[in-house]
Amino acid sequence: MKTRAFAALGLKEGEEDEEGPPFELSLGSGHYHALVGTNPIDVGAEIQIAKELSLECDVPVYSIERANDPWTVMSWRNDALDILDDEPEDLAKSLGCPLPGSTELSDSPARKPLQSVALIEGVSSQEVHRVLEEKHRGSLPPGRYRLVDTPRGLLIASGTGDIGFADITVSERLPRATVYGVTASPGLDIFFVVVMRGGESLEEFAQPSREFPHLPVASDIKGERSPERILAALGIPPEWFLNE
């Protein structure tokens, strides 16, 4: 399991930086075991591992996105994603695999309040709105999304905490769109931009940079290299990351 997880991240077992392995293994009492990331700012590692392992398993593989508040629980079957309403600790206990140090993880000051905003280029706001309505089976939850038309494209933020996986959904359903998914902390000291098209993640700009990147590294976004200037180039107000 550990070897497959390392492979999903494009690593070989034993490759690690000065902070140690990217995850720890917690053995469960049945079919399920937990891989818990050790770096709280390593956005997306659990998702990548779960997607890859779901191709080999006959039962669902679960991942927990810790960049969101509250944490988002996802179920994967053969690379297909489903968002669950379960509490992470309750789900883990029901699977016979309690999360190690879950209370400490939930209360840890290292868990930074990251926010996500996306810029969608190349499609109309009406198309994006329709896709999001379909995602929510006909009606958008009140206040869930903030959709703003700009000269650069459509911005998607959230009025209730996080956009979830709206950027990925739009990229999958509208393959001609170019999607810039931005995840950042309020002070922009943690800052990621993933460029997507056709449901595929093409490249990533990351600050701080990853020791072992999951995607091809982008040295700039639209010719800019600092978070402030990248946000300006994308037309995203920095205050949208303040978790108001």
Side-chain angles (χ1 to χ4, degrees):
M1 180 174 172
K2 288 178 66 177
T3 300
R4 289 176 177 142
F6 271 100
L9 298 177
L11 306 176
K12 293 182 179 179
E13 191 168 357
E15 286 185 346
E16 56 191 57
D17 57 23
E18 65 276 5
E19 297 181 352
F23 52 80
E24 60 178 296
L25 177 63
S26 177
L27 294 177
S29 59
H31 293 294
Y32 281 91
H33 310 289
L35 288 170
V36 181
T38 57
N39 188 342
I41 68 170
D42 196 3
V43 177
E46 288 92 345
I47 294 175
Q48 186 64 30
I49 292 171
K51 287 180 64 176
E52 294 295 329
L53 293 183
S54 75
L55 297 172
E56 305 178 31
C57 299
D58 296 327
V59 295
V61 177
Y62 300 94
S63 64
I64 300 171
E65 177 53 78
R66 295 173 295 158
N68 299 334
D69 191 6
W71 293 356
T72 302
V73 178
M74 291 156 278
S75 170
W76 299 86
R77 276 183 177 272
N78 195 30
D79 199 26
L81 165 66
D82 189 24
I83 306 296
L84 305 180
D85 293 328
D86 303 63
E87 290 292 330
E89 294 177 18
D90 293 343
L91 174 65
K93 289 178 181 178
S94 73
L95 297 174
C97 189
L99 299 178
S102 55
T103 301
E104 291 83 354
L105 282 170
S106 298
D107 297 333
S108 171
R111 185 181 170 200
K112 294 181 178 289
L114 304 181
Q115 281 282 80
S116 296
V117 178
L119 171 68
I120 315 295
E121 294 180 334
V123 294
S124 69
S125 59
Q126 290 84 0
E127 291 176 288
V128 173
H129 194 277
R130 174 178 51 78
V131 165
L132 294 178
E133 283 188 327
E134 291 173 354
K135 171 183 171 67
H136 291 279
R137 296 177 173 85
S139 62
L140 299 183
R144 175 65 184 275
Y145 300 111
R146 182 190 303 181
L147 305 178
V148 180
D149 264 316
T150 76
R152 296 175 179 85
L154 181 72
L155 298 181
I156 302 179
S158 176
T160 59
D162 195 86
I163 64 173
F165 296 91
D167 51 348
I168 298 175
T169 299
V170 170
S171 180
E172 291 174 341
R173 304 281 182 85
L174 301 174
R176 69 183 184 281
T178 299
V179 178
Y180 296 85
V182 182
T183 300
S185 61
L188 306 183
D189 54 317
I190 299 174
F191 188 84
F192 302 95
V193 183
V194 176
V195 183
M196 293 173 276
R197 192 176 299 114
E200 296 292 329
S201 297
L202 305 179
E203 59 181 359
E204 179 187 66
F205 177 95
Q207 177 183 291
S209 59
R210 300 183 192 272
E211 183 74 16
F212 301 106
H214 310 321
L215 296 170
V217 175
S219 60
D220 65 82
I221 297 294
K222 293 187 175 293
E224 303 294 351
R225 299 173 184 270
S226 73
E228 294 81 3
R229 294 186 65 85
I230 289 173
L231 290 181
L234 297 176
I236 299 175
E239 58 268 23
W240 283 15
F241 295 95
L242 293 180
N243 290 276
E244 298 174 317

